[in-house]
Amino acid sequence: MALGGIIGGLLLQNWDVTVVAVSAAALGAVSLLIVAGARHHAFRNVQARP
């Protein structure tokens, strides 16, 4: 969390707020792709056995 604050502060210091929003959206998209890809491996379609 601290690293995110530091990176966000550096982005704001060197550029404007739109760069922070675009980088947050890009990281969110990458995270969504990782979760969607990992979902196939984490939740296999297994039949419950009594």
Side-chain angles (χ1 to χ4, degrees):
M1 288 174 123
L3 185 59
I6 292 169
I7 291 172
L10 290 172
L11 287 175
L12 279 174
Q13 183 179 8
N14 294 320
W15 294 285
D16 59 350
V17 72
T18 56
V19 174
V20 176
V22 169
S23 63
L27 287 173
V30 170
S31 299
L32 183 65
L33 290 174
I34 290 171
V35 168
R39 191 179 79 160
H40 174 70
H41 297 289
F43 302 105
R44 291 187 218 142
N45 201 3
V46 178
Q47 297 290 332
R49 295 183 184 174

